[in-house]
């Protein structure tokens, strides 16, 4: 449904979520939602997967989500958010997404296999297209450099990383090491062993055992992380 006020409609943080497809992506998403205290209705047409996940998830139903009447009978139209984890069949993925759009579900996260698949999903109304394999590959490529421990990329090549500190920052305060002026990245937090995370301040001193939370442009982060 369009938001005529100009604001962005967001799903309620505790609203039930519909998850379709219990392959690796769909099941891990559903399981994490349950751990967060969310109610989940999972729909899967493979009986063995239904039996596997029934003890773990809130509600698991064996049904064919390419059939819009089956979705209606299950009350799919009552959900504001849905995740489509079907990836083995592009045709099924597209049909399911069309059904959910027709049922008026406002927030759709849909797994895509290829860029062309994702383009089709966007065209038919999926407002969140996810490429789990490609995203995992990008993340892994950044982490194999050795210094980065975690990597999250956002739009416009902006990212936040968790990393070990380069030698030139060890034993100095952030004001003394002047990371931002030298490398164009910002150290936003420091985690010392056995201590709570702290937001970085100019007087924060970095030790060799610390982990840094650093934000900035991907290329600049790579340059900073490549320092000895």
């Amino acid at each position: 449904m369009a938001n005529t006020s100009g604001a962005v409609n967001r799903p309620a943080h505790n609203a039930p979520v519909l998850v379709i497809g219990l392959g690796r992506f769909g099941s891990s998403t559903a399981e994490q939602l349950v751990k967060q205290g969310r109610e989940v209705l999972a729909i899967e047409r493979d009986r063995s997967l239904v039996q596997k996940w029934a003890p773990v998830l809130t509600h698991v139903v064996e049904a064919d989500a390419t059939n819009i009447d089956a979705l209606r009978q299950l009350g799919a139209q009552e959900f504001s958010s849905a995740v489509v984890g079907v990836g083995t069949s592009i045709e099924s993925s597209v049909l399911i997404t069309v059904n959910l759009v027709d049922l008026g579900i406002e927030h759709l996260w849909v797994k895509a296999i290829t860029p062309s698949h994702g383009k089709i999903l966007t065209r038919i109304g999926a407002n969140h297209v996810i490429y789990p394999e490609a995203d995992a590959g990008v993340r892994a490529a950044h982490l194999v450099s050795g210094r980065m421990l975690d990597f999250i990329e956002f739009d416009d090549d902006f990212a936040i990383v968790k990393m070990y500190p380069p030698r030139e920052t060890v034993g100095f305060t952030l004001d003394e090491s002047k990371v931002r002026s030298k490398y164009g990245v910002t150290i936003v937090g420091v985690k010392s062993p056995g201590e709570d995370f702290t937001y970085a301040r100019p007087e924060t001193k970095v030790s060799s055992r610390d982990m840094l939370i650093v934000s900035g442009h991907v290329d600049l982060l790579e340059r900073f992380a490549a320092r000895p």
Side-chain angles (χ1 to χ4, degrees):
M1 183 180 296
N3 183 357
T4 57
S5 66
V8 177
N9 287 326
R10 294 180 175 86
H13 74 280
N14 58 349
V17 180
L18 177 67
V19 176
I20 298 178
L22 290 176
R24 283 175 297 186
F25 172 71
S27 61
S28 62
T29 301
E31 186 176 20
Q32 185 59 42
L33 286 166
V34 169
K35 288 180 179 178
Q36 294 173 3
R38 304 287 290 273
E39 183 178 352
V40 171
L41 170 61
I43 299 175
E44 168 60 55
R45 62 181 177 185
D46 184 329
R47 180 167 297 178
S48 64
L49 289 176
V50 171
Q51 294 172 343
K52 175 183 178 179
W53 289 102
V56 179
L57 305 179
T58 318
H59 305 289
V60 184
V61 177
E62 182 183 346
D64 181 1
T66 62
N67 183 333
I68 194 170
D69 290 330
L71 290 175
R72 283 199 182 97
Q73 291 175 8
L74 293 171
Q77 65 277 8
E78 302 299 324
F79 289 78
S80 60
S81 299
V83 177
V84 180
V86 176
T88 55
S89 167
I90 291 178
E91 180 181 0
S92 294
S93 168
V94 170
L95 283 172
I96 292 167
T97 303
V98 168
N99 286 344
L100 297 177
V101 170
D102 288 347
L103 290 173
I105 298 180
E106 188 173 6
H107 303 281
L108 296 177
W109 284 264
V110 186
K111 173 184 174 180
I113 303 171
T114 64
S116 57
H117 180 202
K119 187 174 183 180
I120 293 170
L121 294 171
T122 300
R123 289 280 181 89
I124 61 178
N127 41 17
H128 307 278
V129 176
I130 303 167
Y131 300 86
E133 286 85 1
D135 291 345
V138 169
R139 181 172 177 271
H142 286 284
L143 299 184
V144 294
S145 65
R147 191 177 298 280
M148 291 187 187
L149 299 169
D150 207 350
F151 176 93
I152 303 174
E153 186 172 358
F154 302 91
D155 292 335
D156 302 321
D157 292 325
F158 180 86
I160 294 178
V161 304
K162 180 169 69 174
M163 60 178 284
Y164 294 116
R167 190 164 56 236
E168 66 194 82
T169 65
V170 174
F172 298 95
T173 66
L174 297 181
D175 185 51
E176 291 169 337
S177 59
K178 302 187 185 304
V179 168
R180 181 161 180 77
S181 60
K182 287 182 181 178
Y183 300 103
V185 299
T186 302
I187 297 176
V188 297
V190 177
K191 178 70 171 65
S192 300
E195 298 183 17
D196 293 335
F197 169 89
T198 58
Y199 288 104
R201 300 173 61 86
E203 63 271 21
T204 301
K205 181 175 285 190
V206 176
S207 79
S208 60
R209 301 174 63 205
D210 289 341
M211 289 185 295
L212 307 180
I213 309 299
V214 190
S215 65
H217 190 279
V218 171
D219 291 342
L220 297 178
L221 288 169
E222 290 282 7
R223 176 174 169 240
F224 181 58
R227 300 296 297 169

